[in-house]
Amino acid sequence: MTGAQDILAGRTSLGIELGSTRIKACLIGSDATEVLATGGHAWENRLENGLWTYSLDDVWSGVQAAYADLVADAETRHGVRPVTFGAIGVSAMMHGYLAFDAAGELLTPFRTWRNTNTGDAATELTELFGVNIPLRWSIAHLHQAVLDAEGHVPNLDFVTTLAGYVHSRLTGRRVLGVGDASGMFPIDSVTCDFDARMIDAYDARAGEALPAPVTSLLPEVLAAGAEAGSLTDEGAALLDPSGALRAGIPLCPPEGDAGTGMVATNSVAPRTGNVSAGTSIFAMVVLEKALESVHHELDLVTTPAGDAVAMVHCNNGASELGAWAGLFSRFAEASGQQLDDDAVFEVLFREALAGEPDAGGLLAYNHLAGEPVAGLTEGVPLFVRTSGSDLSLANVMRSQIYGVFGTLAIGMQVLADEGVTLERMFAHGGLFRTAGVAQRFLAGALGAPVAVGELAAEGGAWGIAVLGSYLAHADRAPLEKYLDDDVFASAELRVIDPDPADVAGFTTYLNRYRAGLAIEAVATQAMNRTEDA
């Protein structure tokens, strides 16, 4: 079938993912590997009253802009404008706190995963449950509001994530994919639902502070392939204000960006994993057995099918690296050389390959925000050298790329110490667009082969579109087999094995990085005192 025929017949799946800096839309055809059209819209979070947030108006204007961009792209490529789809899927940043009353009114501004004000709640819940509850998890935000006796708590009717919120407005259903739900509250992989023992423990701890048992405030949990509602008339008008989009389209369970990253890299089977690099960076490793100890560096979440996953989540990813690239882009412009962003990154990344294996004694901390894995509740970007360091462009850029992987490597070492092994590690995100550079350095940082595939370019928006297409196949194959046989069977992967020199060099860099965290902590305190003054 041609793309136009697929679009006209509705043999397509639309994926929409709300990332930290960009809302993406991706349309795939009857062949899930074929991307028929894409759309996008840039947006940014804001720091308001000490908390990171996005307005709900920005959510919908951004979603509508990304959808309109995709429709226009479909018409440009195929000569037809889609008015229906075979399925729709919504994905977004995990965790955070969106709280509504019975009338559906937002009770407090959206609190994103980036906030680190939930320390007391996270500590108390980790002790209560016997599993690590990170600062960004929804239950930590909810319990912190309880501990602080916030005025909105007695009026709570529904708490969800960003993906769950968008899905509920499109379908009227208060549901959530199990992968995204696992970033709200711990999941029992056997029942594929919130852990009943921990639910009871939390209800006993919260007592009368909540207006209802916690399960009645949380979404219904669904595994990949489950029926999750259909697009209502109101939802169609919300997604496409032009009125062309038809209602009645089935939606898959809404998922988090971690789950869609696992799908986009075919990393849903035990002993597989993936690294997603964007504004934040995280690694997911599907476990064969339970971990022996509780580790603050690790989250226990699930695949979209409900299998247990160890997650190393770092709040800070490639944003600081992007700022340095912007500096050199401006230098090129000022010198009369007009280079687009891709060209600037290509030049700088290629130069990094000439750097010393340990980055010449340089150190780069990408901490625009707090970094719990490193024990930091706040952060400032920091670049450090000594009089004996080799300050060359190659070493500067290698240290900046290494810096993106610094806290991630700390968390991955914890997994290695638990005896967790990997057969394959996939990487995706814009950081890996320059072939063979960040991928090679990540292989050195992890001491394991790293693969990058052509399909990874569309990232989570493609992943949630694939989960949408899986609705029509769930009755005949589990998700793992569907991905292997129907989606990735002919995928071309570029695999880089770790270079021993890179492994040794990054080990030296990481030892220096760990020691230098003391400098980062002092710098954060000093800079914050300066700003307060």
Side-chain angles (χ1 to χ4, degrees), residues 157-214:
D157 182 68
F158 180 46
V159 175
T160 190
T161 65
L162 182 55
Y165 162 68
V166 173
H167 182 95
S168 70
R169 291 293 309 276
L170 295 180
T171 66
R173 292 279 303 275
R174 294 180 172 183
V175 300
L176 203 60
V178 63
D180 203 6
S182 68
M184 293 194 78
F185 194 97
I187 292 289
D188 180 344
S189 287
V190 175
T191 64
C192 219
D193 202 350
F194 296 123
D195 187 288
R197 177 187 66 82
M198 298 182 198
I199 286 287
D200 290 342
Y202 185 70
D203 281 336
R205 178 62 58 90
E208 297 182 357
L210 292 177
V214 69

Side-chain angles (χ1 to χ4, degrees), residues 96-465:
Y97 184 69
L98 276 157
F100 299 91
D101 64 17
E105 295 297 321
L106 188 66
L107 291 170
T108 187
F110 172 32
R111 299 172 184 179
T112 79
W113 58 270
R114 196 174 184 181
N115 291 295
T116 56
N117 63 306
T118 56
D120 291 343
T123 298
E124 184 175 314
L125 293 175
T126 297
E127 181 179 351
L128 178 67
F129 297 151
V131 299
N132 181 42
I133 301 298
L135 301 178
R136 65 188 176 281
W137 277 31
S138 303
I139 189 60
H141 284 279
L142 172 61
H143 192 54
Q144 192 65 50
V146 169
L147 293 179
D148 294 341
E150 292 194 36
H152 75 270
V153 171
N155 298 317
L156 283 171
D157 182 68
F158 180 46
V159 175
T160 190
T161 65
L162 182 55
Y165 162 68
V166 173
H167 182 95
S168 70
R169 291 293 309 276
L170 295 180
T171 66
R173 292 279 303 275
R174 294 180 172 183
V175 300
L176 203 60
V178 63
D180 203 6
S182 68
M184 293 194 78
F185 194 97
I187 292 289
D188 180 344
S189 287
V190 175
T191 64
C192 219
D193 202 350
F194 296 123
D195 187 288
R197 177 187 66 82
M198 298 182 198
I199 286 287
D200 290 342
Y202 185 70
D203 281 336
R205 178 62 58 90
E208 297 182 357
L210 292 177
V214 69
T215 49
S216 68
L217 303 178
L218 299 176
E220 177 187 357
V221 180
L222 300 174
E227 186 275 326
S230 59
L231 187 67
T232 63
D233 290 333
E234 295 80 5
L238 192 56
L239 184 56
D240 179 19
S242 77
L245 181 61
R246 300 171 189 166
I249 302 167
L251 273 79
C252 68
E255 265 299 346
D257 50 0
T260 58
M262 283 185 267
V263 170
T265 55
N266 194 19
S267 303
V268 299
R271 298 171 68 90
T272 67
N274 77 92
V275 171
S276 175
T279 302
S280 62
I281 184 170
F282 54 83
M284 314 283 293
V285 178
V286 186
L287 301 175
E288 292 183 287
K289 61 179 182 177
L291 300 179
E292 294 183 0
S293 304
V294 177
H295 303 281
H296 82 272
E297 299 93 343
L298 305 177
D299 303 5
L300 293 179
V301 291
T302 77
T303 70
D307 294 313
V309 172
M311 178 182 189
V312 180
H313 186 285
C314 307
N315 284 350
N316 301 281
S319 294
E320 178 65 2
L321 176 64
W324 279 80
L327 179 72
F328 289 111
S329 178
R330 174 55 191 151
F331 173 81
E333 182 182 13
S335 67
Q337 302 295 317
Q338 294 294 331
L339 297 176
D340 62 26
D341 290 344
D342 285 346
V344 170
F345 275 103
E346 177 81 20
V347 170
L348 294 175
F349 274 44
R350 294 297 171 204
E351 182 69 10
L353 292 174
E356 297 175 51
D358 71 341
L362 306 179
L363 269 180
Y365 294 94
N366 62 340
H367 299 161
L368 288 160
E371 194 55 83
V373 171
L376 300 169
T377 57
E378 297 179 278
V380 294
L382 194 64
F383 182 67
V384 182
R385 68 186 183 99
T386 66
S387 58
S389 301
D390 183 359
L391 185 64
S392 66
L393 179 59
N395 283 333
V396 168
M397 292 315 302
R398 185 176 280 230
S399 71
Q400 290 293 335
I401 299 173
Y402 276 9
V404 176
F405 302 139
T407 46
L408 182 77
I410 291 173
M412 290 298 291
Q413 184 59 55
V414 175
L415 273 180
D417 292 344
E418 277 268 4
V420 175
T421 57
L422 283 168
E423 291 180 358
R424 63 190 188 206
M425 198 70 165
F426 289 80
H428 65 117
L431 187 66
F432 302 100
R433 288 176 64 180
T434 302
V437 182
Q439 180 186 5
R440 170 184 153 181
F441 294 160
L442 179 60
L446 301 181
V450 173
V452 173
E454 294 298 330
L455 297 177
E458 302 300 335
W462 180 77
I464 191 64

Side-chain angles (χ1 to χ4, degrees), residues 454-496:
E454 294 298 330
L455 297 177
E458 302 300 335
W462 180 77
I464 191 64
V466 169
L467 285 173
S469 73
Y470 178 60
L471 284 176
H473 302 269
D475 61 344
R476 68 172 179 82
L479 180 61
E480 176 185 340
K481 183 172 176 57
Y482 171 67
L483 294 179
D484 281 341
D485 296 348
D486 290 38
V487 180
F488 285 90
S490 60
E492 294 185 6
L493 299 176
R494 300 186 303 274
V495 181
I496 291 182

